[in-house]
Coordinates of all heavy atoms in Angstrom, one line a residue:
P11 N -19.8 -1.8 -20.5 CA -19.5 -2.3 -21.9 C -19.3 -1.3 -23.0 O -19.1 -1.6 -24.1 CB -20.9 -3.0 -22.2 CG -21.9 -2.1 -21.5 CD -21.2 -1.6 -20.3
T12 N -19.2 0.0 -22.6 CA -19.3 1.0 -23.7 C -17.9 1.4 -24.3 O -17.8 1.9 -25.4 CB -19.9 2.3 -23.2 OG1 -19.0 2.9 -22.2 CG2 -21.3 2.1 -22.6
G13 N -16.8 1.2 -23.6 CA -15.5 1.6 -24.0 C -15.3 3.1 -23.8 O -14.3 3.6 -24.3
S14 N -16.2 3.8 -23.1 CA -16.0 5.2 -22.9 C -15.1 5.5 -21.7 O -14.9 4.7 -20.8 CB -17.4 5.9 -22.6 OG -18.2 5.8 -23.7
I15 N -14.5 6.7 -21.8 CA -13.6 7.1 -20.7 C -14.0 8.5 -20.2 O -14.3 9.4 -21.0 CB -12.1 7.2 -21.2 CG1 -11.6 5.8 -21.6 CG2 -11.2 7.9 -20.2 CD1 -10.2 5.9 -22.3
Y16 N -14.1 8.7 -18.9 CA -14.5 9.9 -18.3 C -13.3 10.9 -18.4 O -12.2 10.5 -18.0 CB -15.0 9.8 -16.9 CG -16.3 9.2 -16.7 CD1 -16.6 7.9 -16.9 CD2 -17.4 10.1 -16.5 CE1 -17.9 7.3 -16.7 CE2 -18.7 9.5 -16.3 CZ -18.9 8.2 -16.5 OH -20.2 7.7 -16.3
T17 N -13.6 12.1 -18.8 CA -12.5 13.1 -18.8 C -12.3 13.7 -17.4 O -13.1 13.5 -16.5 CB -12.9 14.3 -19.7 OG1 -14.0 15.0 -19.1 CG2 -13.3 13.8 -21.1
E18 N -11.2 14.4 -17.3 CA -10.9 15.0 -16.0 C -12.0 15.9 -15.5 O -12.4 15.9 -14.4 CB -9.5 15.7 -16.0 CG -9.2 16.3 -14.7 CD -7.8 16.9 -14.7 OE1 -6.9 16.6 -15.5 OE2 -7.5 17.8 -13.8
N19 N -12.5 16.7 -16.4 CA -13.5 17.7 -16.1 C -14.8 17.0 -15.6 O -15.5 17.4 -14.7 CB -13.8 18.7 -17.2 CG -12.7 19.7 -17.4 OD1 -11.9 19.9 -16.5 ND2 -12.6 20.3 -18.6
E20 N -15.1 15.9 -16.4 CA -16.3 15.2 -16.0 C -16.2 14.5 -14.6 O -17.1 14.5 -13.8 CB -16.6 14.1 -17.1 CG -17.1 14.7 -18.4 CD -17.0 13.6 -19.5 OE1 -16.2 12.6 -19.4 OE2 -17.7 13.9 -20.5
L21 N -15.0 14.0 -14.3 CA -14.8 13.4 -13.0 C -14.8 14.4 -11.9 O -15.2 14.2 -10.8 CB -13.5 12.6 -13.1 CG -13.4 11.3 -13.9 CD1 -12.0 10.7 -13.9 CD2 -14.4 10.3 -13.3
R22 N -14.2 15.6 -12.2 CA -14.2 16.7 -11.2 C -15.6 17.1 -10.8 O -15.9 17.3 -9.6 CB -13.4 17.9 -11.7 CG -11.9 17.6 -11.6 CD -11.1 18.9 -11.9 NE -9.7 18.7 -11.9 CZ -8.9 18.6 -10.7 NH1 -9.5 18.8 -9.6 NH2 -7.6 18.4 -10.8
A23 N -16.5 17.1 -11.8 CA -17.9 17.5 -11.5 C -18.5 16.4 -10.6 O -19.3 16.7 -9.6 CB -18.7 17.7 -12.8
I24 N -18.3 15.1 -10.9 CA -18.8 14.0 -10.1 C -18.2 14.0 -8.7 O -18.9 13.8 -7.7 CB -18.6 12.7 -10.8 CG1 -19.4 12.7 -12.1 CG2 -19.0 11.5 -9.9 CD1 -19.1 11.5 -13.0
A25 N -16.9 14.3 -8.6 CA -16.3 14.4 -7.3 C -16.9 15.5 -6.5 O -17.1 15.3 -5.2 CB -14.8 14.7 -7.5
D26 N -17.2 16.6 -7.0 CA -17.8 17.7 -6.3 C -19.2 17.2 -5.8 O -19.6 17.6 -4.6 CB -18.0 18.9 -7.1 CG -16.6 19.6 -7.4 OD1 -15.7 19.3 -6.7 OD2 -16.6 20.4 -8.4
F27 N -19.9 16.5 -6.6 CA -21.2 16.0 -6.2 C -21.1 15.0 -5.0 O -21.8 15.1 -4.0 CB -21.9 15.3 -7.4 CG -23.2 14.6 -7.1 CD1 -24.4 15.3 -7.1 CD2 -23.2 13.3 -6.8 CE1 -25.6 14.7 -6.8 CE2 -24.4 12.6 -6.5 CZ -25.6 13.3 -6.5
V28 N -20.1 14.1 -5.1 CA -19.9 13.1 -4.0 C -19.6 13.8 -2.7 O -20.1 13.5 -1.7 CB -18.8 12.2 -4.5 CG1 -18.3 11.3 -3.3 CG2 -19.2 11.3 -5.6
V29 N -18.7 14.8 -2.8 CA -18.3 15.5 -1.6 C -19.5 16.3 -1.0 O -19.7 16.3 0.2 CB -17.1 16.5 -1.8 CG1 -16.8 17.3 -0.6 CG2 -15.9 15.6 -2.2
E30 N -20.2 17.0 -1.9 CA -21.4 17.8 -1.4 C -22.4 16.9 -0.7 O -22.9 17.3 0.3 CB -22.0 18.5 -2.6 CG -23.3 19.2 -2.3 CD -24.1 19.6 -3.5 OE1 -23.6 19.5 -4.6 OE2 -25.3 19.9 -3.3
K31 N -22.7 15.7 -1.3 CA -23.7 14.8 -0.7 C -23.1 14.0 0.4 O -23.9 13.3 1.1 CB -24.2 13.9 -1.8 CG -24.8 14.6 -3.0 CD -26.0 15.5 -2.6 CE -26.7 16.1 -3.8 NZ -27.8 17.0 -3.4
D32 N -21.8 14.0 0.6 CA -21.1 13.2 1.6 C -21.4 11.7 1.5 O -21.9 11.1 2.4 CB -21.5 13.7 3.0 CG -20.5 13.2 4.1 OD1 -19.4 12.9 3.7 OD2 -20.9 13.2 5.3
I33 N -21.2 11.2 0.3 CA -21.4 9.8 0.0 C -20.0 9.2 -0.4 O -19.0 9.9 -0.6 CB -22.5 9.6 -1.0 CG1 -22.1 10.3 -2.3 CG2 -23.8 10.0 -0.5 CD1 -23.1 10.1 -3.5
Y34 N -20.0 7.9 -0.7 CA -18.8 7.2 -1.2 C -18.9 7.1 -2.7 O -20.0 7.2 -3.3 CB -18.7 5.8 -0.6 CG -18.4 5.8 0.9 CD1 -19.3 5.3 1.8 CD2 -17.1 6.1 1.3 CE1 -19.0 5.3 3.2 CE2 -16.8 6.0 2.7 CZ -17.7 5.6 3.6 OH -17.4 5.6 4.9
I35 N -17.8 6.8 -3.3 CA -17.7 6.4 -4.7 C -16.8 5.2 -4.8 O -15.7 5.2 -4.3 CB -17.3 7.6 -5.6 CG1 -17.4 7.1 -7.1 CG2 -15.9 8.1 -5.3 CD1 -17.4 8.2 -8.1
I36 N -17.3 4.2 -5.4 CA -16.4 3.0 -5.7 C -16.0 3.2 -7.2 O -16.8 3.1 -8.1 CB -17.2 1.7 -5.5 CG1 -17.6 1.5 -4.1 CG2 -16.4 0.5 -6.0 CD1 -18.4 0.3 -3.8
S37 N -14.7 3.4 -7.4 CA -14.2 3.7 -8.7 C -13.5 2.4 -9.3 O -12.4 2.0 -8.8 CB -13.1 4.8 -8.6 OG -12.6 5.1 -9.9
D38 N -14.2 1.8 -10.2 CA -13.7 0.6 -10.8 C -12.8 0.9 -12.0 O -13.3 1.4 -13.1 CB -14.9 -0.3 -11.3 CG -14.4 -1.6 -11.9 OD1 -13.2 -1.9 -12.0 OD2 -15.3 -2.4 -12.2
E39 N -11.5 0.8 -11.8 CA -10.5 1.2 -12.8 C -9.8 0.0 -13.4 O -8.6 0.1 -13.8 CB -9.6 2.2 -12.2 CG -10.3 3.4 -11.6 CD -9.5 4.5 -10.9 OE1 -8.2 4.5 -11.2 OE2 -10.0 5.3 -10.2
M40 N -10.5 -1.1 -13.5 CA -9.8 -2.4 -14.0 C -9.2 -2.2 -15.4 O -8.2 -2.8 -15.6 CB -10.9 -3.5 -14.1 CG -10.4 -4.8 -14.6 SD -9.1 -5.5 -13.6 CE -10.0 -6.1 -12.1
Y41 N -9.7 -1.4 -16.2 CA -9.2 -1.2 -17.6 C -8.3 0.0 -17.8 O -8.1 0.5 -18.9 CB -10.4 -1.1 -18.6 CG -11.2 -2.4 -18.7 CD1 -12.3 -2.5 -17.8 CD2 -10.9 -3.4 -19.5 CE1 -13.2 -3.6 -17.9 CE2 -11.7 -4.5 -19.6 CZ -12.9 -4.6 -18.8 OH -13.7 -5.8 -18.8
E42 N -7.7 0.5 -16.7 CA -7.0 1.7 -16.6 C -5.8 1.8 -17.6 O -5.5 2.9 -18.1 CB -6.5 2.0 -15.2 CG -5.5 1.0 -14.7 CD -5.3 1.1 -13.2 OE1 -5.6 2.1 -12.6 OE2 -4.7 0.1 -12.6
Y43 N -5.2 0.7 -17.9 CA -4.1 0.8 -18.9 C -4.5 0.7 -20.3 O -3.8 1.1 -21.3 CB -3.1 -0.3 -18.6 CG -2.2 -0.1 -17.4 CD1 -2.3 -1.0 -16.3 CD2 -1.3 0.9 -17.3 CE1 -1.6 -0.8 -15.2 CE2 -0.5 1.1 -16.2 CZ -0.6 0.2 -15.1 OH 0.1 0.4 -14.0
L44 N -5.7 0.3 -20.6 CA -6.2 0.0 -21.9 C -6.9 1.3 -22.4 O -8.2 1.4 -22.5 CB -7.2 -1.2 -22.0 CG -6.6 -2.5 -21.4 CD1 -7.5 -3.6 -21.5 CD2 -5.2 -2.8 -22.1
V45 N -6.1 2.3 -22.8 CA -6.6 3.6 -23.2 C -5.9 3.9 -24.5 O -4.7 3.7 -24.7 CB -6.2 4.7 -22.1 CG1 -6.5 6.0 -22.6 CG2 -7.0 4.4 -20.8
Y46 N -6.7 4.5 -25.5 CA -6.2 4.6 -26.9 C -6.3 6.1 -27.3 O -7.0 6.9 -26.8 CB -7.1 3.7 -27.8 CG -7.3 2.4 -27.2 CD1 -8.6 1.8 -27.1 CD2 -6.2 1.6 -26.8 CE1 -8.8 0.6 -26.5 CE2 -6.4 0.3 -26.3 CZ -7.7 -0.2 -26.1 OH -7.9 -1.4 -25.6
G47 N -5.5 6.3 -28.4 CA -5.4 7.6 -29.0 C -4.9 8.7 -28.0 O -3.9 8.4 -27.3
N48 N -5.5 9.8 -28.0 CA -5.1 10.9 -27.1 C -5.7 10.9 -25.7 O -5.6 11.8 -24.9 CB -5.3 12.2 -27.7 CG -4.5 12.4 -29.0 OD1 -3.3 12.0 -29.1 ND2 -5.1 13.0 -30.0
E49 N -6.5 9.8 -25.5 CA -7.2 9.7 -24.2 C -6.2 9.4 -23.1 O -5.2 8.9 -23.3 CB -8.3 8.6 -24.2 CG -9.3 8.8 -25.3 CD -10.1 10.1 -25.2 OE1 -10.3 10.5 -24.0 OE2 -10.6 10.6 -26.2
K50 N -6.6 9.7 -21.8 CA -5.8 9.4 -20.7 C -6.7 9.0 -19.5 O -7.8 9.4 -19.4 CB -4.9 10.5 -20.3 CG -5.5 11.7 -19.6 CD -4.5 12.7 -19.1 CE -5.2 13.8 -18.3 NZ -4.2 14.7 -17.6
H51 N -6.1 8.1 -18.7 CA -6.9 7.6 -17.6 C -6.6 8.6 -16.4 O -5.5 8.9 -16.1 CB -6.5 6.2 -17.2 CG -7.2 5.7 -15.9 ND1 -8.5 5.4 -15.9 CD2 -6.7 5.6 -14.7 CE1 -8.8 5.0 -14.7 NE2 -7.8 5.1 -13.9
V52 N -7.7 8.9 -15.7 CA -7.6 9.8 -14.5 C -8.4 9.1 -13.4 O -9.5 8.6 -13.5 CB -8.3 11.2 -14.8 CG1 -8.2 12.0 -13.5 CG2 -7.6 11.9 -15.9
S53 N -7.7 9.1 -12.2 CA -8.3 8.5 -11.0 C -9.0 9.6 -10.2 O -8.4 10.6 -9.9 CB -7.3 7.8 -10.1 OG -6.7 6.7 -10.8
I54 N -10.3 9.4 -10.0 CA -11.1 10.4 -9.3 C -10.6 10.8 -7.9 O -10.7 11.9 -7.5 CB -12.6 10.0 -9.3 CG1 -13.5 11.2 -8.9 CG2 -12.8 8.8 -8.3 CD1 -15.0 11.0 -9.2
A55 N -10.0 9.8 -7.2 CA -9.5 10.0 -5.9 C -8.3 11.0 -5.8 O -7.9 11.4 -4.7 CB -9.2 8.7 -5.2
S56 N -7.7 11.3 -7.0 CA -6.5 12.0 -7.0 C -6.7 13.6 -6.9 O -5.7 14.3 -6.8 CB -5.7 11.7 -8.3 OG -6.4 12.2 -9.4

């Protein structure tokens, strides 16, 4: 409910954690097109 968007750097840190722990991540990107200002959507799997 927050309207927040994770930056690329924030996602990269989380991705490193996921790989290190060898777990899955379910990335819910339902609102991926609804991004405002200078923000951009980044998919963690990329």
Side-chain angles (χ1 to χ4, degrees):
T12 66
S14 292
I15 295 174
Y16 283 80
T17 67
E18 180 174 340
N19 286 340
E20 290 167 338
L21 289 173
R22 285 190 180 276
I24 294 171
D26 290 343
F27 175 85
V28 169
V29 173
E30 177 195 343
K31 302 298 186 183
D32 197 22
I33 58 177
Y34 289 109
I35 183 163
I36 296 177
S37 183
D38 182 356
E39 304 179 17
M40 177 62 73
Y41 296 91
E42 59 192 348
Y43 286 115
L44 305 183
V45 173
Y46 314 125
N48 295 321
E49 304 296 331
K50 70 172 185 173
H51 175 73
V52 178
S53 292
I54 194 168
S56 66

